Amino acid sequence: MPLLNKSTLTEKLIVVLGASAVKTDQDSCVLYSQDVYAKDKPCAIVIKPSCAKKLSQAVSIITQGGYSVVARGGGMSYTGGYVPKEEHSVVVDMSALNNVLEVNTKDMYVTVESGCSWEKLYLTLKEHKLRTPFWGTLSGRFATVGGSLSQNGIFWGSAQHGFAVDSVLSLDVILSDGTTLTTGSAAKKGTQPFARHFGPDLTGLFCNDSATLGIKTKATIRLIPEALHKGSTSISFTEFNHQAELMSEVARQGLASECFGFDPFLQSQRLQRESLGKDIKSLFGVMKAAGSVGKALKAGSKIALAGRDFIESECWSVHFLVEDWTEQGVELKLNKINQLAENLQGKVVENTIPKVMSANPFGPVNNMVGPKGERWVPIHALVPHSKVQEAYLATEAVFNKHAALIEQCNIGIGYLLATVSSTVFVLEPVFFWPEALNELHKHALEPAHLKRLPGFAANPVASNAMAVIRADLISKYAESGYIHMQLGKSYQFKQVLDAENYQLLTDIKKRLDPNNRLNPGCLGFD
């Protein structure tokens, strides 16, 4: 396919989108071509369409001109999903497609443009005392609905309701030639997007694909009522295996809406990041969320008295949030969790962390760097409950293999743990290393927080060491049969998927995107 001259392509895009929606300056092309971890070739052009119709026209122009198209949500991912592989790429900044189009309280669904942040959607639905089952990632102030569906995501609501993609009913997707495909019941002309399954599940086809099969412009998601009553508990352990077993048992019994845990290192990193001023602001949020003056004073006094030493520094910790229609139901669940913990040698501690996080679900993304400005990146494995201990030992074996390199380059390693619905355990090693921040960090962090960080000079030796350890761990997970969300361009997929399955996906890709112009490099489509 002949490649269109960049200036000619730019002119064509300006005609469709307007001059303010098309950027070719170096700073924009560099910023929008990197994620939290990866940075490769800057794109040629960045576009910011304001409506799906204009985007479909633009996609047609771009792909006919021989350029690739890469959709970017909130930019909070770290597996290279939207990092262009080719210089002749156009990155689509989806942030202007951010409207909540319909809140249907009778049929219990919401339709939203895919550039809408989870925070905006949550606040809009809160006015109706409704929410989506999965209701956002921790980075939901920036992270978008479309980004989470392309990469898949977990956190708020995941322990009970599953992954981000599990709540979706219908999608509008732009294909590589600019045509739009609608999935779910809405694919039948004149029918509302109230049901996901009308024949084979085409909605699922366009989830977890890093926008390599199509660009999602609109999503319809189920609604559920907000729970009337909420509660939380925190447990500390001296051993990983006891904490993991508690998390698995709580997941099997469906007791928690959210479940997440830290190892001692990650716990200390989190506490180092926070300041007294942040504590006070968080305390006000907790008291406001308590619902009454008496409850607010009780919640506030407990946190104030607990201070910063509510969990011993050498302990693992796990935190549960529960929901129910009655206060008694909440108490029953919390008592059950605490009893299970006691049977596993756990110690109930002040539940400061879940209270603060629940009261402030979409805070700043300052935690995307370490407490002194270290670079940060996670890797994860999704495993069944029966494989958790095996996965932990396999991970530790890789770290032991590289122990000298880790010490030499001052790489810090912690663990974030979570569960998804009743069947999935998430083991997420988290890395911190001394290295200069990139443009995305400087763009996304709060300016005052960024100014306080000591920071580091460029450190290619440590970054190269990180890349070696990261690649080795990813290979170990692939060899062990573990799977992943957020496949992007980092995790092995083509290499580990059954040949028949990958051939079917290849055939679909060729049908939808015959010239491989939608995010080439993702899912092994080179």
Side-chain angles (χ1 to χ4, degrees):
M1 178 181 294
L3 195 67
L4 198 63
N5 179 276
K6 176 181 169 180
S7 60
T8 304
L9 176 60
T10 302
E11 290 170 7
K12 287 175 174 282
L13 291 172
I14 288 173
V15 170
V16 172
L17 301 172
S20 63
V22 181
K23 297 179 180 179
T24 57
D25 63 284
Q26 183 70 4
D27 287 349
S28 295
C29 291
V30 168
L31 174 62
Y32 284 88
S33 298
Q34 61 189 279
D35 66 11
V36 176
Y37 177 70
K39 181 179 180 180
D40 197 356
K41 304 174 181 70
C43 64
I45 304 171
V46 177
I47 62 173
K48 188 177 180 178
S50 57
C51 76
K53 184 177 180 181
K54 290 181 179 179
L55 175 56
S56 67
Q57 292 175 297
V59 167
S60 177
I61 291 168
I62 294 163
T63 57
Q64 286 179 24
Y67 284 65
S68 63
V69 186
V70 183
R72 179 188 188 274
M76 294 294 102
S77 58
Y78 39 80
T79 55
Y82 66 82
V83 176
K85 194 171 182 182
E86 302 175 358
E87 290 180 6
H88 300 293
S89 299
V90 177
V91 169
V92 184
D93 173 9
M94 299 293 290
S95 63
L97 284 161
N98 62 4
N99 295 303
V100 180
L101 300 173
E102 180 188 8
V103 180
N104 191 319
T105 59
K106 183 169 285 188
D107 296 323
M108 293 297 281
Y109 64 76
V110 58
T111 301
V112 59
E113 289 181 315
S114 60
C116 181
S117 72
W118 287 105
E119 180 181 52
K120 180 177 179 179
L121 178 58
Y122 173 74
L123 292 174
T124 300
L125 295 175
K126 198 168 183 64
E127 297 174 9
H128 303 273
K129 297 183 178 180
L130 297 170
R131 70 160 215 240
T132 53
F134 167 86
W135 51 281
T137 61
L138 282 175
S139 57
R141 181 175 291 189
F142 291 92
T144 63
V145 171
S148 294
L149 301 185
S150 286
Q151 290 277 71
N152 206 1
I154 60 167
F155 201 78
W156 295 116
S158 288
Q160 186 171 6
H161 298 286
F163 297 99
V165 299
D166 293 333
S167 301
V168 182
L169 298 172
S170 173
L171 297 170
D172 274 10
V173 183
I174 295 175
L175 306 180
S176 67
D177 63 357
T179 59
T180 298
L181 182 145
T182 299
T183 72
S185 60
K188 182 178 184 296
K189 189 173 287 188
T191 303
Q192 294 170 267
F194 71 102
R196 176 163 173 164
H197 301 288
F198 181 54
D201 181 20
L202 294 183
T203 300
L205 180 65
F206 295 97
C207 294
N208 303 289
D209 73 327
S210 293
T212 191
L213 297 178
I215 298 175
K216 290 167 280 295
T217 59
K218 187 168 72 174
T220 300
I221 306 173
R222 288 192 299 119
L223 291 176
I224 60 174
E226 266 200 317
L228 293 177
H229 299 279
K230 301 179 181 182
S232 61
T233 186
S234 296
I235 320 289
S236 71
F237 288 90
T238 58
E239 296 181 24
F240 165 82
N241 61 323
H242 288 154
Q243 173 160 313
E245 180 51 39
L246 174 64
M247 295 173 68
S248 292
E249 187 57 32
V250 169
R252 285 189 285 262
Q253 296 194 28
L255 296 171
S257 56
E258 286 86 25
C259 164
F260 53 96
F262 308 113
D263 79 316
F265 178 83
L266 196 57
Q267 195 163 263
S268 70
Q269 292 288 91
R270 180 178 181 83
L271 292 176
Q272 285 178 55
R273 284 192 188 106
E274 311 300 342
S275 65
L276 180 60
K278 178 73 180 293
D279 283 346
I280 293 169
K281 287 169 70 176
S282 298
L283 180 57
F284 281 130
V286 172
M287 293 176 73
K288 184 178 178 183
S292 70
V293 174
K295 287 181 181 178
L297 291 173
K298 184 178 179 182
S301 63
K302 276 190 172 183
I303 289 178
L305 288 169
R308 295 191 143 264
D309 299 318
F310 55 92
I311 300 174
E312 295 90 342
S313 59
E314 71 276 9
C315 285
W316 294 73
S317 70
V318 60
H319 313 277
F320 300 97
L321 289 104
V322 304
E323 301 175 342
D324 208 278
W325 297 113
T326 66
E327 287 190 18
Q328 293 88 344
V330 167
E331 287 303 312
L332 283 170
K333 289 179 179 178
L334 292 176
N335 289 338
K336 180 64 174 176
I337 292 171
N338 290 342
Q339 183 59 57
L340 290 170
E342 185 179 325
N343 295 342
L344 289 164
Q345 303 173 37
K347 175 185 175 185
V348 178
V349 296
E350 178 53 43
N351 53 342
T352 300
I353 289 176
K355 279 182 181 176
V356 168
M357 292 178 68
S358 180
N360 308 275
F362 301 118
V365 293
N366 298 332
N367 287 353
M368 67 195 288
V369 300
K372 295 180 182 178
E374 298 91 342
R375 288 288 299 273
W376 162 95
V377 71
I379 299 175
H380 71 264
L382 306 182
V383 299
H385 296 296
S386 59
K387 300 286 187 182
V388 174
Q389 187 67 15
E390 171 196 292
Y392 175 67
L393 293 175
T395 304
E396 287 290 294
V398 173
F399 296 156
N400 289 334
K401 174 184 172 183
H402 295 286
L405 195 57
I406 289 167
E407 183 177 3
Q408 174 191 334
C409 295
N410 197 23
I411 298 171
I413 301 173
Y415 285 92
L416 174 64
L417 312 172
T419 57
V420 184
S421 190
S422 59
T423 62
V424 178
F425 194 101
V426 183
L427 182 76
E428 185 169 278
V430 181
F431 300 86
F432 299 85
W433 74 104
E435 172 62 284
L437 301 181
N438 67 22
E439 291 85 353
L440 179 59
H441 296 120
K442 295 170 184 176
H443 178 75
L445 296 180
E446 289 182 307
H449 182 79
L450 183 62
K451 190 175 180 179
R452 286 195 298 268
L453 297 174
F456 297 89
N459 190 349
V461 172
S463 289
N464 289 337
M466 258 303 307
V468 168
I469 298 164
R470 185 173 183 264
D472 200 2
L473 188 54
I474 287 171
S475 294
K476 183 63 177 178
Y477 286 165
E479 172 192 315
S480 302
Y482 311 147
I483 64 168
H484 311 280
M485 306 168 285
Q486 305 172 18
L487 292 169
K489 300 180 179 80
S490 293
Y491 293 112
Q492 295 182 24
F493 180 66
K494 179 181 181 179
Q495 302 92 322
V496 301
L497 199 64
D498 283 345
E500 295 80 5
N501 288 31
Y502 196 77
Q503 184 58 55
L504 177 58
L505 281 176
T506 301
D507 294 342
I508 293 170
K509 172 72 169 174
K510 286 179 179 176
R511 167 65 179 81
L512 300 177
D513 181 20
N515 296 308
N516 194 24
R517 293 297 78 203
L518 294 183
N519 203 4
C522 266
L523 307 185
F525 295 128
D526 293 313

